[in-house]
Structure formats: structure tokens, C-alpha cells
Amino acid sequence: MIKSKHPGDLSLSLLFSYRGAVGTGESSNSGGSNSSGKHQQHQMDSSKYVRYTPEQVEALERVYSECPKPSSLRRQQLIRECPILSNIEPKQIKVWFQNRRCREKQRKEASRLQTVNRKLSAMNKLLMEENDRLQKQVSQLVYENGYMRTQLHTVNTTTTDTSCESVVVSGQQQQQNPTPQHPQRDANNPAGLLAIAEETLAEFLGKATGTAVDWVQMIGMKPGPDSIGIVAVSRNCSGVAGRACGLVSLEPTKVAEILKDRPSWYRDCRCLDVLSVLPTGNGGTIELIYMQTYAPTTLASARDFWTLRYTTSLEDGSLVICERSLSSKTGGPSGPPATSFVRAEMLPSGYLIRPCEGGGSIIHIVDHVDLDAWNVPEVLRPLYESSKILVQKMTMAALRHIRQIAQETSGEIQYSGGRQPAVLRALSQRLCRGFNDAVNGFVDDGWTVLGSDGVEDVTIAINSSPSKFLGSQYNNLSMLPTFGGVLCARASMLLQNVPPALLVRFLREHRSEWADYGVDAYSAASLKASPYAVPCARPGGFPSSQVILPLAQTVEHEEFLEVVRLEGHAFSPEDIALSRDMYLLQLCSGIDENAAGACAQLVFAPIDESFGDDAPLLPSGFRVIPVEPKSDAPGTTRTLDLASTLEAGNGGSTRPAGGEVESNNYNLRSVLTIAFQFTFENHYRDNVAAMARQYVRSIVSSVQRVAMAIAPSQLSSNLTPRPLPGSPEAITLARWICRSYRMHTGSELLQLESQAGDAVLKQLWHHSDAIMCCSVKMNASAVFTFANQAGLDLLETTLLALQDIMLDKILDEAGRKVLVSEFSKIMQQGFAYLPAGICVSSMGRPVSYEQAVAWKVLNDDDTNHCLAFMFVNWSFV
């Protein structure tokens, strides 16, 4: 006799016995599990099946909706409360709930698999089309290659003919694809505009699905059901262009509505005005659009566009929105003039939106513009010639925005704090727009530039226009007789060897390294009932710490919206009034180091601890944009002074020998733009302007030090000396340092197991004490020429910037006096022990050390080469 040891065995047998009955509302009664197998089979065969009535199913479903997994007590209570279930055993009800949960899980899994299958089918279709396009492109390139070979062979056979006639004929042969010239259209004739629209449509489709542009896929953009799609940039075409294809779970009409609302997702769009709308006979529309965009930095003018936008449907049901600039070349009406903008050109661009089977859309996006790069300083020209930057700011921004809304609509994204996704997006948009307004300072917004203090590094502008504060709490302040307006201090600088994502992440996580608590307190005071309780920021401020509270982030985590709480600490009674906690609404984007061409940005604005959806925002912050070096440009090791670069007009100057580096590792350049805004009273305007100017200068200095400190850890993972990696000069210098130390002091600097190769250099580099060398020249300050890793850490600098640091700048007053008194002893005896003291790093941080040793470094001829210092057991104070 086989007995069941587990009561679950009966439930399992019932589950399989009633598999068909449960689905139709049937159940049955069964015998016990302690009988023999034959008796059990006979008992089950003779059992009576009972079908659930609709009332019973309704009662069970009602409980299931409240509690999908009721306990045993709850099931017994259910039988007592519902007389219609009295003829059903508790175990059978348990099985019904098990099967009900199983069916629910299977239904959800089936729905998920169907969704994934639809995505994969659509992506497969997209990849097949992309493969066909690439095959056509390969065929075209093979044809062009054969044609060029024929041309080269023809040229080689006629090289003896040097007459002018052959040169003219050769020139004519090279012009295979002249730029098409369009006749002037009648500005008042809709037929002429329709002709332009149809040409734009044909050219756009050639770029979106054809081979009109040579597209190169961006690195890291792998297609898949959950990826952003296929992203490519142009190669060897006029202007800059980007292309993206992707899937979204929104219907084509909804996608078209979102994409046409460009200011909602294109952060650089200042305004977009539809000046005219013309319906077409095929059911489409033609719109004449004037769009203004922001300049990314303070060093170049903003761009505007005058375009024709054509919306229509194709025979296969796809929606098309294509657009191009109107000019004398294309014909059509002329656009409105704008004095503060440079007119840029939009070449045929747009969106192809195709419906997917089962719902959703496949989107093809093409952005192709000519930003008139020759109208900007040469050092900034790569910003306007980079297809990667265009893709990040426009093409991928549009696709990401649509995916974000699609996931919000489907409920896949849940935000904390009780705020709706649209509200959080609006806050992010207001932060970006306010920062862009501050950077650009348009005259028609009411901005006026103040005179400088003799140095042109920081620009001060004021805005006293009441419209600046309409619809916000500042509107009440603007009614005060002493209210002056808003003051903005802005500056731009060139950074070398610092990835934008790394710098912005450091500024976000280490605010105390650059921010002044007193200035933050002044900014926060503008939100209080007495906004000018702090007439001017106090230098140095008070110690504070920050706590970052996340609000929202985008689907791919490329942008974060957060609240920052600045916790103040007062050390004296007079500081208690200003040491309260303050809050910032902060937007951080572009900190993914793998995103090619991405702009990194940190924007923040003071807020009240209980800020509302329409809270007043006065944004300040940083923007770092990578400047891609040209492939044929020499590696540069420029300083962080952008003004000298602009004056020189050439970004290719290099440091003298001795600071040479491998160009492969040191060719990163980026432009940093800083803008800080403050409110002010009329009688405090000059004081606030002086404070803001000095504050931005201090931030520039801090960023320079931070940039030099964080650059080496990112650009090189090895710990060998960077300026002279394994070179004979470095090995020789290390040998001179150790030999001179042994000669003067009688003891060994290093415990060497081997004298071969670069063993001395490696041990010297990894020595725990800070060892530095400085030049010894008459009538000149001693400048550092070498330091080991510990020495660079003490100075908080890099080998590249080491020679900009002078010895007397890192020693305090007592240290300089000791060095002067011991200098003659060092020169005569060869060395001297210096007492414990304090020195200062290049970032102004005090460093204590227990002892210092100074000695002369002699070369192989026993003549003075340099002076060496070793700081023993040092640490930051």
C-alpha cells in the first residue's frame, strides 16, 4: 500500500483532475489519500463532478480581485459568508485560487511575449530594410571605385599633356554631381510651395531609407527591442547630419503630434512660430516656420531658421513630416529678419512614421543642418561641425522623448513624491530654458551688458524687465520701489584633457570644492519674505554638506532631476541666522562617459523647502561641450585660458619639449560655460555685481584646479611617469636623484633589489613620501620639473601642469624663512634636514609634514642639475 506523506499530494491530483473543469467552472469531490492505489482510482472514477454556477464564480472572482492568495482562515470565512459556496470543500477552493493565479500569470507572460515578439518582428523588418540600404550603398561604392580607377588610368595615360585645355576638360569631368539650381518660385503661389514640398519629401526619403547620405553607425548603438534604435552620423556631406531608427509603443498620429512640438523636447529651441498654414490637395499641410535656437556658449551668436514644413501621408499609410530652409536657392518667400541671430540652413530633414502590426510605430528621423561654422571662432568651429553633437542634441533627444512619453503612458515608469511626469518634465524644461536665457542674454528679453572692470574674462548683464518675473513670486518683488532685477555673471573657458562627463560628475558630487555657502545663502534669501536680508555674500561662507534627493530620471538615465539639501553649520552666534538648511532644484545630464558627443550639464536653482509646481526658478550652472579635434590636427597641450586661444586663432600650438605627451591620450578638449544669476536691489547693484564677478572668477579658478587634479586618473590607468614614460631621460634623472641622496646623506633612498632597466624609476615613482625636483636658476623663481606620484598627490596637480607651480607658492611664511636660512648649507654641504611644517597644494589646501629633506642633485659630471625635496609622512590638514 502506497500512502501519501504530504497533504499537498491530494491538491496536486485534484489540480490535474480538474484542469479542464476549472476553466469551465467545474469541480469535484475526492476520496482520501490513505487508501490503496486501486481503491483510490475506483473512488475517483465514481466521484461526482459538480459545475460551478455563475454566482459561485462571481463570488470567487470578487474575493480574488481583493486578495489573490487568501489564507486558510479567509477561505473558511468565505464559505461561511457565501452560502452558495457551502457545497464546495475548502481544499477545492484553494485549488481554484491556485489555478486562477496560474492563469493570470500565464496571461501576463503571454502578453509580454507577444509584445516582445512584435518588437522583434518590427526590429527584424527594420534591420532587413537597413541591410538592403547598405547593400545598395556597397553597390554604389563599388561602382564609384571602378569609375575612379578608370579615371586614374585615363589621367596616367595623358600625363604628358600639360596644356590648359586638358586641365579644363579634367575639371569638367570631376563635376559629376553639380548642385541643383531651383528656379525662383512665386512667393504667393501655393503651387510653387507645393513643388518645393514635394522636392523636400523626395530628398528626405532618399536620406531616411536610401543612400543619399553616406551614413556611419555610431559606436555603442546596438539595435534591439529595448534599445534606442539604430543611430548613425553622416560622413563627407555638406553640413552635419544624423539619422536614427527606432520603435515606440505610440500610434503614428500621436508620435507626429509630439515631434511637431519641437520646443517640448529640443532644449536648444528658444521659440517656434508657425507663420502660415496651407492645406494641400492630397490632404497634407504646408507650414512656414520661423525658429530661433540658443547658442551653446557665450562666445558665438545664436542661430535661427526659416523653413517650410510639409506633413503628408504615403500610400502605405506612413506619416511623413519633412522640412527644409527657404532661401534664394530654393525659392519661396523670405523669412523675418533678426539682428541677434545668424541664419542657419536646414537641408531636407524630417520624420518618417510607419505603423506597426499590433500597435506602435517605427520612426525614421533625419536631421541635416548647416550651422555656418565659418561664422564662429576657429577654436569653437568643431562644435558646429560635429554630427555627433547634433545627434545627441536633436536626433536622439527626439527619440528619447517619445520613448519616455510612451513608457509614462503605459504606466511602466513610477515617480516618487506624488508629482506627475508632465510636471517634472516641465520643471526640467524651465531649468534648461532659464539657463539658456542667462547664457545668451538676448536684448529682446531685456538684458543689458554692464561695463567691465578692465578684465574681460567675466561678463555682467542685468535684466530689469518686469516680464522676467511675470507669473512667479518675483512679480511681487518687482513691485518694490527698490527692486532692481536680475544680474547674471557668465564666462566661458577652454578645458584640456578633461572628459565633460567626469568634470560635471565631480562638480555635482563635490559641491563644497567650488561653491560658497555665503553666495548660496544670498541666492536662497531671494525666496524669503525679506529677500535682501543678506546684502552681500560673505567670503568663505560657512561649512556645509549636501544631501541629494532624487526626483526623477529619464528612461536611459541620461538625465537626473533632483533636490539638493545644503545643510549649514554655524560655529559662532552671529552665523546662526545664515546657517539654515537650503534647497536647490538641480538637473544633471550627460554624465555617461560612453555617450559620444554628449554635452554634460549641471543646472540648479534655489527653491523653498515646500516648492510648488509653478515655483519661481532662477537657474545657474555649468555646461561642458566636447570639442572634437580634427584628425589631421597635432596633439595640443594648451592651457585653460580661452582668451589666448581666441587671440591666437589657432588651436594647434604646443608646449615646449619636456611637456610632450602622447597625442592619443591628450587630445581631449571641451568648452566650459558658466552662468550664475542673482536678484538685486537698486542701491546694492554695484555690490552684487562685484560679488558675482569675483565669485565666478573663483569658480573658474576652482574648476581649473579640479580639472588638473582629475585628468590623469581618467586618461591613463597605468602609474608610470606620464611626460617621460620609460624614456632614457627619466631613468637617468631617477638614478641621479638616488645617487646624490646617497652621496650627501650616506644612506639609501631606495631599497633596490635590481639596478637593471627602469627599476630605480619605478621604485622612485611609487615611493610613499612626496619627492619633487625644482630648477635652480639665478634671478629666477624655482619651478618644479618633476614629482613622483605622492608628490603629484600632495600638490594636487599633474605632470603636465607641474611646471606652472613655483616652489615659493607652496611654502608658507615659516617654511620660506627656514629654506632661506638653510639654503647656503644645502649648497655647501649638499643637503639639509628641514623641520616639520605646513605647505599648500595647488588647490589651496594645507598639507602638514613631519620632516623635509632637501639635497642637491648632481649629474654625471658632478655639476648641479636641480634641487630635490622629500616631504616625509605628509597629510592634508
Side-chain angles (χ1 to χ4, degrees):
M1 179 181 296
I2 302 176
K3 295 184 178 181
S4 174
K5 298 182 180 180
H6 304 287
D9 294 346
L10 177 60
S11 299
L12 189 61
S13 65
L14 288 172
L15 173 63
F16 287 98
S17 300
Y18 305 143
R19 179 180 298 273
V22 168
T24 59
E26 295 181 355
S27 182
S28 67
N29 296 318
S30 175
S33 59
N34 297 325
S35 60
S36 64
K38 182 178 179 180
H39 179 67
Q40 182 179 2
Q41 182 65 34
H42 173 74
Q43 198 171 22
M44 292 183 65
D45 291 342
S46 61
S47 62
K48 184 178 180 180
Y49 288 90
V50 177
R51 181 180 297 275
Y52 286 105
T53 65
E55 292 79 9
Q56 290 174 329
V57 174
E58 182 181 357
L60 292 172
E61 287 287 353
R62 186 166 55 250
V63 176
Y64 180 84
S65 62
E66 298 174 357
C67 179
K69 194 173 182 180
S71 64
S72 176
L73 295 176
R74 180 71 179 91
R75 292 194 299 270
Q76 293 176 6
Q77 181 185 0
L78 173 63
I79 295 175
R80 290 194 301 268
E81 293 177 351
C82 298
I84 59 176
L85 299 176
S86 59
N87 63 330
I88 303 176
E89 294 184 0
K91 289 184 178 180
Q92 293 173 344
I93 292 180
K94 179 181 179 181
V95 172
W96 186 92
F97 278 98
Q98 288 176 345
N99 290 340
R100 182 67 177 82
R101 290 194 301 270
C102 183
R103 290 201 307 274
E104 183 72 18
K105 183 178 179 181
Q106 290 176 345
R107 192 158 43 238
K108 291 181 179 179
E109 181 66 13
S111 176
R112 188 188 68 83
L113 291 176
Q114 289 175 357
T115 301
V116 173
N117 183 62
R118 286 196 299 268
K119 287 184 178 180
L120 290 174
S121 299
M123 182 59 70
N124 181 62
K125 180 180 180 182
L126 193 62
L127 291 174
M128 291 177 64
E129 293 174 353
E130 181 71 7
N131 186 56
D132 292 340
R133 189 192 65 81
L134 290 174
Q135 288 180 350
K136 293 178 182 178
Q137 185 174 351
V138 168
S139 301
Q140 182 177 343
L141 292 174
V142 169
Y143 171 78
E144 292 177 356
N145 185 49
Y147 177 78
M148 290 300 297
R149 287 179 180 273
T150 304
Q151 291 296 103
L152 290 174
H153 179 73
T154 304
V155 171
N156 290 333
T157 57
T158 59
T159 51
T160 56
D161 184 4
T162 59
S163 64
C164 296
E165 181 180 358
S166 65
V167 175
V168 172
V169 171
S170 175
Q172 291 176 348
Q173 291 175 346
Q174 292 176 0
Q175 296 181 3
Q176 297 296 323
N177 298 310
T179 303
Q181 297 295 326
H182 302 282
Q184 182 71 25
R185 274 94 172 194
D186 184 1
N188 299 318
N189 185 0
L193 293 178
L194 182 59
I196 299 176
E198 292 294 342
E199 290 177 0
T200 304
L201 173 62
E203 293 186 43
F204 159 69
L205 293 176
K207 297 175 184 179
T209 61
T211 59
V213 172
D214 185 8
W215 299 111
V216 179
Q217 185 170 335
M218 288 184 65
I219 298 175
M221 297 298 173
K222 297 180 181 180
D226 296 322
S227 70
I228 193 171
I230 304 172
V231 183
V233 295
S234 61
R235 181 176 62 183
N236 300 330
C237 76
S238 60
V240 291
R243 173 179 174 268
C245 310
L247 309 173
V248 292
S249 56
L250 293 176
E251 295 304 315
T253 53
K254 180 63 176 178
V255 173
E257 177 186 345
I258 295 172
L259 290 174
K260 294 179 76 170
D261 185 16
R262 190 172 287 154
S264 67
W265 54 265
Y266 182 33
R267 295 289 174 80
D268 284 353
C269 180
R270 185 189 183 213
C271 66
L272 187 147
D273 298 325
V274 180
L275 301 184
S276 179
V277 179
L278 302 174
T280 61
N282 56 7
T285 58
I286 294 177
E287 300 166 290
L288 300 182
I289 295 175
Y290 177 65
M291 181 178 69
Q292 294 179 347
T293 62
Y294 291 106
T297 72
T298 63
L299 303 166
S301 299
R303 267 51 181 167
D304 66 347
F305 295 85
W306 170 241
T307 61
L308 177 147
R309 184 167 69 187
Y310 182 36
T311 305
T312 187
S313 300
L314 301 182
E315 294 180 355
D316 61 355
S318 301
L319 278 177
V320 177
I321 306 168
C322 55
E323 191 172 358
R324 80 176 307 161
S325 287
L326 295 177
S327 64
S328 58
K329 296 180 182 178
T330 61
S334 58
T339 56
S340 301
F341 294 83
V342 173
R343 183 62 50 87
E345 181 182 6
M346 180 181 293
L347 289 84
S349 307
Y351 317 102
L352 172 61
I353 310 166
R354 301 157 58 188
C356 284
E357 296 180 3
S361 305
I362 299 178
I363 310 174
H364 296 254
I365 302 177
V366 173
D367 291 307
H368 192 178
V369 296
D370 185 347
L371 299 174
D372 194 7
W374 294 101
N375 252 336
V376 299
E378 184 176 355
V379 69
L380 297 179
R381 207 163 289 162
L383 298 182
Y384 295 80
E385 296 175 336
S386 171
S387 294
K388 293 179 181 178
I389 293 179
L390 176 74
V391 164
Q392 290 287 350
K393 296 174 72 173
M394 283 193 71
T395 315
M396 292 178 64
L399 204 52
R400 283 176 175 144
H401 182 73
I402 296 172
R403 293 188 67 209
Q404 182 82 20
I405 293 182
Q407 295 199 15
E408 291 173 0
T409 304
S410 63
E412 298 180 39
I413 302 178
Q414 300 293 332
Y415 291 122
S416 59
R419 297 181 187 268
Q420 295 297 321
V423 173
L424 296 173
R425 285 201 309 272
L427 290 173
S428 301
Q429 184 77 7
R430 288 174 57 198
L431 282 173
C432 283
R433 186 175 184 85
F435 182 69
N436 278 324
D437 285 334
V439 169
N440 286 261
F442 292 114
V443 175
D444 56 357
D445 279 343
W447 289 100
T448 304
V449 177
L450 296 182
S452 68
D453 60 350
V455 183
E456 301 291 341
D457 56 340
V458 178
T459 301
I460 301 293
I462 61 171
N463 192 331
S464 302
S465 173
S467 62
K468 179 76 176 173
F469 319 106
L470 288 178
S472 74
Q473 183 175 336
Y474 290 109
N475 194 30
N476 298 328
L477 304 181
S478 63
M479 302 302 294
L480 298 175
T482 59
F483 179 77
V486 171
L487 182 144
C488 176
R490 54 180 185 256
S492 292
M493 57 189 292
L494 184 68
L495 294 176
Q496 181 72 26
N497 304 334
V498 182
L502 183 63
L503 177 59
V504 168
R505 190 162 65 243
F506 184 92
L507 295 174
R508 171 178 176 260
E509 297 173 357
H510 304 278
R511 184 180 179 87
S512 60
E513 294 289 338
W514 56 267
D516 188 299
Y517 187 89
V519 177
D520 288 335
Y522 175 78
S523 299
S526 62
L527 299 174
K528 303 299 179 182
S530 300
Y532 302 105
V534 188
C536 193
R538 292 176 51 177
F542 318 102
S544 67
S545 58
Q546 70 170 3
V547 178
I548 297 178
L549 309 172
L551 271 183
Q553 61 186 16
T554 50
V555 175
E556 298 184 357
H557 300 176
E558 77 278 356
E559 187 174 275
F560 302 86
L561 183 66
E562 52 203 11
V563 172
V564 180
R565 185 174 75 239
L566 303 178
E567 300 174 332
H569 309 285
F571 292 149
S572 61
E574 59 270 17
D575 292 342
I576 294 178
L578 302 179
S579 63
R580 61 179 179 270
D581 289 354
M582 296 176 294
Y583 296 86
L584 302 173
L585 182 65
Q586 181 168 276
L587 182 70
C588 181
S589 60
I591 58 176
D592 180 9
E593 298 177 36
N594 298 321
C599 161
Q601 187 169 270
L602 183 69
V603 179
F604 44 85
I607 56 174
D608 193 75
E609 52 267 23
S610 58
F611 78 104
D613 298 343
D614 58 347
L617 299 177
L618 200 62
S620 304
F622 308 87
R623 174 182 292 150
V624 192
I625 308 176
V627 181
E628 295 183 341
K630 294 182 179 180
S631 58
D632 56 348
T636 62
T637 56
R638 298 191 60 81
T639 65
L640 303 179
D641 180 15
L642 184 57
S644 62
T645 305
L646 294 175
E647 291 173 2
N650 188 348
S653 62
T654 58
R655 277 186 182 271
E660 292 181 339
V661 293
E662 294 181 1
S663 59
N664 291 338
N665 292 335
Y666 290 86
N667 59 0
L668 295 175
R669 291 193 302 170
S670 53
V671 175
L672 169 65
T673 298
I674 304 173
F676 278 76
Q677 298 189 84
F678 308 94
T679 56
F680 66 92
E681 282 186 300
N682 282 322
H683 57 283
Y684 281 130
R685 192 190 77 173
D686 294 339
N687 291 343
V688 176
M691 177 271 292
R693 182 179 280 113
Q694 184 59 37
Y695 184 48
V696 170
R697 284 174 179 166
S698 70
I699 290 176
V700 168
S701 179
S702 299
V703 170
Q704 288 177 337
R705 292 193 298 266
V706 168
M708 289 188 294
I710 67 178
S713 61
Q714 173 67 19
L715 295 176
S716 180
S717 58
N718 57 13
L719 294 178
T720 56
R722 293 175 181 83
L724 303 169
S727 64
E729 293 84 356
I731 296 173
T732 301
L733 178 60
R735 182 170 55 83
W736 288 349
I737 293 172
C738 297
R739 184 176 68 89
S740 300
Y741 184 86
R742 181 177 61 252
M743 181 188 306
H744 296 313
T745 65
S747 59
E748 293 289 345
L749 179 63
L750 306 174
Q751 300 298 325
L752 293 173
E753 299 179 358
S754 172
Q755 297 282 346
D758 58 353
V760 177
L761 177 61
K762 287 183 178 180
Q763 285 208 25
L764 182 68
W765 178 259
H766 294 292
H767 198 284
S768 59
D769 295 326
I771 300 174
M772 315 169 193
C773 295
C774 63
S775 60
V776 181
K777 297 181 181 180
M778 298 299 295
N779 301 324
S781 299
V783 176
F784 287 106
T785 57
F786 172 81
N788 67 348
Q789 181 64 66
L792 295 178
D793 292 341
L794 183 151
L795 295 175
E796 293 189 289
T797 187
T798 66
L799 281 169
L800 186 65
L802 182 66
Q803 55 188 301
D804 294 331
I805 303 175
M806 292 183 290
L807 175 63
D808 60 341
K809 297 298 183 183
I810 73 163
L811 298 175
D812 61 358
E813 186 65 26
R816 285 193 291 268
K817 288 182 179 179
V818 171
L819 182 59
V820 170
S821 63
E822 296 288 335
F823 187 75
S824 59
K825 180 180 178 181
I826 297 173
M827 300 308 294
Q828 294 175 5
Q829 183 177 319
F831 78 103
Y833 292 103
L834 308 179
I838 300 290
C839 62
V840 181
S841 74
S842 64
M843 298 183 68
R845 298 172 65 187
V847 181
S848 65
Y849 55 90
E850 293 183 1
Q851 188 187 47
V853 184
W855 71 95
K856 291 191 301 182
V857 177
L858 307 178
N859 58 20
D860 291 331
D861 298 330
D862 288 337
T863 58
N864 296 334
H865 177 73
C866 64
L867 198 63
F869 291 87
M870 180 169 64
F871 295 90
V872 181
N873 293 335
W874 64 273
S875 62
F876 288 105
V877 178

